[in-house]
Amino acid sequence: MTSRMWGGRFAEGPDAIMEEINASIDFDRKLFRQDIAASKAHARMLAAQGIIAADLAQKIDGGLDTILREIEAGDFTFTRALEDIHTHVEARLTQLIGPEAGRLHTARSRNDQVATDFRLFVRDAIDQIDALLRDLQRALAETALEHAGTVMPGFTHLQTAQPVTFGHHLMAYVEMAGRDRGRFADARRRLNESPLGSAALAGTSFPIDRAMTAAALDFDRPTANSLDAVSDRDFVIETLAAASLCAVHLSRFAEEIVIWSSAGFGFIRLSDKFTTGSSIMPQKRNPDAAELVRAKSGRIIGAQTALLIVLKGLPLAYQKDMQEDKEQAFDAIEALELAIAATAGMVRDMSVDKAAMRKAAGAAFSTATDLADWLVQALGLTFRQAHEVTGRIVRLAEARKLPLHRLSLAEMQEVEPRITEAVYGRLGVGPSVASRVSYGGTAPGNVRREARRWLRRLDKEAAAAG
Ligand code: ARG
């Protein structure tokens, strides 16, 4: 047997540097499970269609099982001379069952093989990411339920704006993760067509049954255009796009963890499990996991950009450039999975300093909007008038270096004589968050309802996923 699947036309072997740039086995060996599954489906179909003999299909099937076991056991020799995973499997099959193994490649090409294998791989990755995101949502919603009434400052421009609840803040990320999962599910739906049987680019003259191989591999249907099927990497790009946005969400949260755990804020503390020390400053506790989650977004976004650039100038159909789709996608998927798991870990690990949060929530006249709202609701001012009156009261409080609720009624009445004692009921951070009962608002009751709604949904999904 010639060691090269395409050796027949060639008089000389490749230059060493050619072999190095050409071979993909160092990374595409990751696809061995998918490659073997697709070959098994193909062999069974070939036999069912009378294209190969039934007993040969059985031998092929047994040989492929042996190869699967060998690779899983680390008992398989990979060599750059054999280029990629597809040729490795076929070469080993030939050793195992003899030259009749060569019939397996009837009516297919490495072009539809790699497109099929990679779709299967990305589909598995999406399922894995979805499970991880579900777990992150659970960690967030459980913590949110626990902290539905924990008051913290809400920020705009990173300036203290209005009091919110910590639970509400965490539930914001549950929503983001929900949209991320929707994008991955959407990518999965479009991905789930089988390229197998598109052959090199034009289809095949053999009477194959593409619906049969599609069903065997749990695809919804075969792809409809052979040229598109072998050239298309949309499924990777869509997945990397969803991964990029998901990584951006995780990065924003990671940044908040870094801020909240800093000495200036002191809102949360990560345990020794999620921090590291400094080699020189003995007192340090660094939130390295959060920083790395923040950084992982860079390589994930980079992978998406790289693949878009690889594809943008390629004419139909398969071009070898497309081999460059894998390494970065593998890396990005791994990085995202790690980032999601680390984020869930930090959420479960963090301890919350409620007193520090509450104190910060009351600083910087954070309930000024509540005062303005009260002036509208109790005294019938227009919101613009109320805004003006409140501004003057804030200035007064600032001059006296007092929080709003410590101003006397007489002092407030200097600005607006109709203000009554009742206003004090609205100036604390507790009443402030309790009053935000509008749909989607930060009131503890809302947070509890939303957290419970999500937890019920996550339970249902977990039960359905088995
Ligand atoms: N290793 C190749 C890849 O990853 C497989 C397809 C090769 N096809 C070809 N015509 N050389 O893209």
Side-chain angles (χ1 to χ4, degrees), residues 172-371:
Y173 286 97
V174 173
E175 291 295 321
M176 286 177 240
R179 292 195 296 276
D180 289 327
R181 291 180 59 201
R183 273 180 284 273
F184 281 113
D186 192 38
R188 192 192 195 285
R189 259 193 303 279
R190 260 188 304 283
L191 164 156
N192 209 28
E193 296 185 344
S194 172
L196 194 59
S198 299
L201 74 166
T204 175
S205 58
F206 292 94
I208 58 172
D209 181 352
R210 295 191 54 212
M212 181 178 167
T213 45
L217 297 169
D218 276 329
F219 285 117
D220 295 331
R221 65 191 77 83
T223 53
N225 182 300
S226 62
L227 288 168
D228 178 42
V230 294
S231 313
D232 170 43
R233 294 294 181 274
D234 290 4
F235 61 96
V236 195
I237 294 187
E238 283 192 54
T239 303
L240 290 177
S244 295
L245 190 43
C246 180
V248 166
H249 294 150
L250 297 175
S251 181
R252 294 178 77 170
F253 188 46
E255 170 65 6
E256 297 198 304
I257 290 175
V258 170
I259 292 174
W260 294 341
S261 63
S262 70
F265 278 71
F267 288 179
I268 62 163
R269 186 172 197 276
L270 292 171
S271 81
D272 295 354
K273 290 193 216 160
F274 280 93
T275 47
T276 62
S278 155
S279 59
I280 174 168
M281 299 165 282
Q283 84 288 4
K284 287 294 285 296
R285 298 171 65 81
N286 299 325
D288 294 38
E291 296 168 78
L292 288 164
V293 166
R294 196 171 57 185
K296 295 286 182 203
S297 60
R299 49 206 285 177
I300 295 166
I301 295 164
Q304 190 209 356
T305 307
L307 188 48
L308 283 167
I309 295 170
V310 165
L311 286 175
K312 83 169 185 56
L314 299 187
L316 303 187
Y318 178 83
Q319 319 293 332
K320 195 60 172 256
D321 312 50
M322 293 165 71
Q323 180 167 287
E324 288 286 315
D325 60 355
K326 286 173 216 60
E327 271 169 295
Q328 305 213 45
F330 290 153
D331 181 75
I333 288 164
E334 209 174 288
L336 184 66
E337 289 177 351
L338 193 55
I340 301 169
T343 305
M346 286 188 283
V347 170
R348 293 196 166 101
D349 181 70
M350 60 173 68
S351 52
V352 175
D353 189 337
K354 292 190 200 182
M357 281 190 178
R358 195 177 181 90
K359 186 155 176 254
F365 313 108
S366 65
T367 55
T369 314
D370 298 84
L371 172 54

